[in-house]
Amino acid sequence: MDDRAWRELDPSHPRYRRVFRAYLAHTDEKERQRDHLLDVVDALPRRDVFVDAGAGTGYFTAALAPRFRRTVAVEPDPALRGELSAACPAAEVLPVPISAAAVPEPADLVLCSHVLYYVPEAEWPGHLAALLSWVRPGGELVLVLQHPGSDCVAMARHFGIRTPVLDGAAALLDDAAAGRPYTARRHVQPASLRLPDLATALEVSELVVGPLDSPEARHTVAAYLREHGAADPSGGFSLSCDQEFLHVRCDG
């Protein structure tokens, strides 16, 4: 179980995508995140332009786009852009990385959800500076990563895998804002994984701990799940996968 196995693997790789889809099929994470984001949108003073930075398959793009006049989706992965365009055909797609994107006009909301996992932390300052530069006065940048207190992050730590969390991004905000006034707040949105059996739990665990390509690795993770996963009477497991949001409101 080596974090390099996933971190060096393109997220569009078929195996990674299979495991990721299994994860999504057994969690309420996306629905809970969507509901929170809709509340955020409703509280914005203006709803004109929305930028989804690292839009992926377009789930959140499609959920939020109807609230805005214009939606811009930044997505460099060609394998994901097809699903993105199908999910939200009205979005203007920029097929480049965040660091190379030229957003056409200032945005009222910039969302960057679960993207920073795939960005080397040495490159976070430049990414945050770019994201903040796209936000109009009174607008908001929303960063999302898994909460460090979740069962999934605890599992990663147990197996020696370092999972990026939002503390690192929050510490960079002053420099990224380059003197621009802002206010920041955190929000934790509970979410859970409900895994009906051990085989499913092991498959989904690969997203957390990396590929389980040996009987020994599968046995070790199975033992961890039996000890730490909240078992249910049917023989399945439950793990928290709470999401942490960093809301950055640009005041000027």
Side-chain angles (χ1 to χ4, degrees), residues 28-221:
D28 58 0
E29 172 188 311
K30 276 198 166 185
E31 292 79 6
R32 288 180 172 270
Q33 183 176 334
R34 176 202 62 207
D35 292 345
H36 175 66
L37 290 172
L38 288 172
D39 289 341
V40 170
V41 171
D42 288 343
L44 290 172
R46 173 173 171 165
R47 292 183 289 278
D48 192 34
V49 178
F50 164 45
V51 176
D52 194 350
T57 61
Y59 177 87
F60 296 115
T61 324
L64 303 187
R67 309 289 182 100
F68 294 86
R69 172 185 62 85
R70 185 178 191 179
T71 294
V72 178
V74 180
E75 181 48 62
D77 190 331
L80 298 176
R81 287 200 300 270
E83 294 183 66
L84 166 62
S85 295
C88 192
E92 302 168 50
V93 179
L94 303 182
V96 295
I98 290 170
S99 57
V103 171
E105 60 180 306
D108 303 285
L109 176 67
V110 175
L111 173 65
C112 186
S113 176
H114 294 284
V115 173
L116 292 176
Y117 300 126
Y118 308 106
V119 177
E121 289 191 56
E123 298 176 16
W124 281 23
H127 277 68
L128 289 173
L131 293 166
L132 283 170
S133 74
W134 301 342
V135 183
R136 76 167 73 249
E140 191 163 311
L141 166 65
V142 180
L143 301 170
V144 190
L145 289 176
Q146 190 140 145
H147 186 261
S150 74
D151 291 339
C152 288
V153 173
M155 184 179 184
R157 283 198 302 263
H158 177 84
F159 289 105
I161 296 169
R162 183 175 178 274
T163 301
V165 295
L166 285 177
D167 285 350
L172 297 170
L173 286 178
D174 282 350
D175 287 341
R180 187 179 183 189
Y182 69 88
T183 54
R185 64 182 178 89
R186 307 272 192 113
H187 172 80
V188 178
Q189 189 77 355
S192 62
L193 277 164
R194 299 196 179 278
L195 307 164
D197 50 53
L198 181 59
T200 303
L202 287 172
E203 180 180 29
V204 171
S205 293
E206 290 194 331
L207 191 67
V208 179
V209 301
L212 303 179
D213 287 332
S214 70
E216 293 79 10
R218 293 175 68 83
H219 175 78
T220 300
V221 173

